[in-house]
Amino acid sequence: MMQARLRARRTRLRQRISEAGLAGLLVSHAANRYYLTGFELHDAQCNESSGLLLITAAGEDYLLTDPRYKDAALRLWPEENLFIYTGGAREAIREFLEKTVDTSSGPLGFESKAMCMDDYGFFSETVKLQPADGHVEEMRLIKDPVEIEAMRRSCGLNHAVFSKVPELLIPGTTEAELAWELEKLFREHGASELSFNTIAAVGPNAALPHAVPGEDQVLDNCPVLVDMGCRLDNYCSDQTRTFWAGDKPTDEFKRTLELVQEAQALAIEIIKPGVPMIDAYNTARDYFEKNGVAEYFTHGLGHGVGLETHEAPSISTRSKGEFKSGMVVTVEPGLYYPEWGGVRWEYMVLVTDNGCEVL
């Protein structure tokens, strides 16, 4: 069944690239390659690739990888459509493209956001290339039922780990220690890895949306922002909660939390198919404007989640599209005050046929 789903995706992509007048598409972004083949979700390092996928308009598809991944690739891919390169990898890949892709009637599309300039310059010496970003990402916008269930499970594990946070907020615990305890909980309960490095930010550090856990300690009474997620069944979760460690939250913290949660609720309330995504952002921002705190809302409202923690669409001032059924997005307004910290509250939301559902 999994292979049938993958073949159907490649067929849809083939139609897209044919309509774009391309001879094929060279897929180099790891998450896109996985989405279409089930092969190697992560490349090992930023300077090391597990391979490429060639989708041809003519109907044949080829997986290109090196000998380390041959056995893994053969579990998913027919050997006759598998190209193993060694030694001079770029030379071998270029020669393969020259022989395999007929660019007389159209160029070979490539993912310019995922290919370095050096590789582009080398391949384009003999192969007619054209940037063709977004084709796979647009397909990934809408999650199918299998993907949605995987994300429910990933989100469910995130909720379970969040339920343990209050008992870990012991005065004297450092941010780094808290982040490590949360990572262990994810691993012990089935996560294959984190979606991203856990953010645990104490006091004024909570004003940094992407704070790095350090040696600052939980105090008797202080805010603690925790932003975390896991990967389960290859799909990510991403949620943020802001806690008060202690039993005497300040009035400023309580008011800020209330404002953030109300802005979030108002934004979620309007999400449904056909609604411009920028409207959700504006709903939250307008509420903050009304309450005189908009200057402390310093980032977009949310983003897509799936095989990657941050993927299309973006819900911000730059959003141009509309919500569609099957999208999974975060809704995460925040207010940040360098003097004492800040509050962010984040849900993952599934757009349904007639509204949305908080996962």
Side-chain angles (χ1 to χ4, degrees):
M1 182 175 291
M2 176 65 174
Q3 289 302 317
R5 288 172 58 232
L6 297 172
R7 283 194 297 272
R9 290 172 180 173
R10 296 196 296 272
T11 298
R12 287 165 49 208
L13 177 59
R14 197 183 328 280
Q15 180 66 30
R16 292 177 66 100
I17 61 178
S18 294
E19 292 172 356
L22 299 171
L25 179 65
L26 188 62
V27 178
S28 53
H29 182 54
N32 288 346
R33 184 186 60 218
Y34 177 85
Y35 180 77
L36 296 165
T37 65
F39 176 70
E40 289 298 318
L41 178 57
H42 300 297
D43 287 342
Q45 300 177 56
C46 63
N47 63 345
E48 184 177 355
S49 171
S50 303
L52 304 165
L53 173 66
L54 174 63
I55 304 289
T56 71
E60 290 291 329
D61 304 328
Y62 300 89
L63 186 60
L64 292 68
T65 190
D66 69 57
R68 295 171 300 168
Y69 301 100
K70 180 178 180 180
D71 290 343
L74 286 173
R75 297 182 182 185
L76 301 164
W77 203 257
E79 188 167 10
E80 61 270 22
N81 288 67
L82 181 65
F83 177 70
I84 302 296
Y85 50 80
T86 58
R90 291 199 310 172
E91 291 80 2
I93 291 170
R94 187 172 70 177
E95 183 178 348
F96 178 82
L97 295 176
E98 291 170 7
K99 293 179 179 178
T100 307
V101 184
D102 179 7
T103 57
S104 59
S105 59
L108 174 64
F110 73 102
E111 297 178 319
S112 63
K113 293 180 181 179
M115 181 179 289
C116 71
M117 285 294 295
D118 193 42
D119 284 346
Y120 167 75
F122 183 81
F123 293 144
S124 63
E125 288 178 3
T126 57
V127 180
K128 186 179 179 183
L129 296 176
Q130 177 178 302
D133 292 292
H135 286 289
V136 185
E137 285 84 352
E138 287 179 22
M139 293 170 57
R140 287 171 51 196
L141 280 172
I142 309 303
K143 274 58 179 180
D144 65 32
V146 175
E147 292 178 291
I148 290 169
E149 285 310 306
M151 297 187 73
R152 284 189 195 281
R153 291 190 292 273
S154 184
C155 217
L157 179 52
N158 221 33
H159 286 303
V161 174
F162 260 123
S163 72
K164 303 293 185 181
V165 171
E167 63 194 64
L168 297 175
L169 299 181
I170 302 168
T173 301
T174 68
E175 295 168 331
E177 289 169 340
L178 175 58
W180 173 237
E181 290 300 320
L182 295 171
E183 179 172 354
K184 287 193 291 185
L185 285 170
F186 277 126
R187 295 283 193 169
E188 289 166 358
H189 290 84
S192 58
E193 59 186 305
L194 301 180
S195 298
F196 53 94
N197 291 333
T198 297
I199 297 171
V202 170
N205 294 340
L208 305 174
H210 284 178
V212 177
E215 296 307 308
D216 287 23
Q217 298 178 357
V218 176
L219 304 177
D220 234 347
N221 275 282
C222 71
V224 181
L225 184 149
V226 176
D227 184 357
M228 63 184 184
C230 69
R231 190 181 296 278
L232 193 65
D233 300 327
N234 292 318
Y235 280 82
C236 296
S237 54
D238 177 11
Q239 297 171 303
T240 306
R241 301 288 184 272
T242 308
F243 301 85
W244 185 267
D247 57 2
K248 296 182 177 68
T250 64
D251 290 342
E252 190 169 22
F253 175 82
K254 289 189 289 185
R255 178 175 182 270
T256 303
L257 178 60
E258 182 180 346
L259 289 171
V260 167
Q261 290 180 328
E262 181 61 22
Q264 183 194 52
L266 291 170
I268 290 173
E269 187 177 348
I270 73 163
I271 293 177
K272 63 180 179 180
V275 171
M277 285 181 277
I278 196 171
D279 286 3
Y281 171 84
N282 287 336
T283 296
R285 186 161 192 90
D286 289 349
Y287 180 76
F288 288 147
E289 290 275 6
K290 176 183 174 183
N291 286 276
V293 296
E295 65 183 289
Y296 304 105
F297 178 37
T298 57
H299 53 68
L301 183 66
H303 55 83
V305 186
L307 290 173
E308 297 175 286
T309 310
H310 289 85
E311 58 183 49
S314 170
I315 308 175
S316 68
T317 56
R318 296 170 297 180
S319 297
K320 295 181 180 178
E322 300 177 343
F323 289 109
K324 297 180 181 179
S325 180
M327 287 181 172
V328 176
V329 298
T330 67
V331 180
E332 50 179 303
L335 295 172
Y336 306 99
Y337 300 87
E339 304 81 18
W340 62 267
V343 172
R344 183 164 69 254
W345 203 263
E346 178 181 13
Y347 287 154
M348 285 172 55
V349 174
L350 167 67
V351 184
T352 61
D353 289 341
N354 53 13
C356 67
E357 172 193 348
V358 175
L359 296 178

